[in-house]
Amino acid sequence: MLFCAIHLRRNVTDKMVALGIEESERREICADIFGVQVGSQLQEGIIDADDEEEFRVRVAQLQEVWETRSGVKGREFHL
C-alpha cells in the first residue's frame, strides 16, 4: 500500500508540474489531498474520506479552493 501512495503522490505532483502550478501551491494541494501533520494534529486530506460519498463531497469542495489559489491551472488540475 505504501508504494501505491508514493506512486499516487508522484503522479499528482507530475500533473501539477505539467500544468505549471507553483511549488508553494503544489504543497498546499498535496496537503488537501493527502493530509498534513501540523504539530501533533493531523489535518485530514480527501484520501481520508470514510466512503465514496464523502470523498466526492470533499473533492467538490476543493474545486473552488484550487481555482482561487491557482486560477485556470487549479481548475484544470481539478478536472
Side-chain angles (χ1 to χ4, degrees), residues 17-75:
V17 168
L19 289 170
I21 295 175
E22 300 283 330
E23 184 178 349
S24 61
E25 294 167 1
R26 291 195 308 261
R27 281 194 302 270
E28 291 180 27
I29 290 172
C30 279
D32 293 337
I33 295 170
F34 300 105
V36 65
Q37 188 79 30
V38 178
S40 63
Q41 197 140 2
L42 174 65
Q43 293 178 351
E44 291 186 338
I46 61 175
I47 66 167
D48 296 303
D50 291 327
D51 55 38
E52 184 178 345
E53 180 62 28
E54 183 181 353
F55 178 84
R56 290 180 188 276
V57 167
R58 289 182 184 200
V59 170
Q61 290 170 338
L62 286 171
Q63 180 176 6
E64 185 176 330
V65 172
W66 293 346
E67 281 187 44
T68 300
R69 271 191 209 143
S70 306
V72 172
K73 295 173 187 176
R75 183 171 3 127

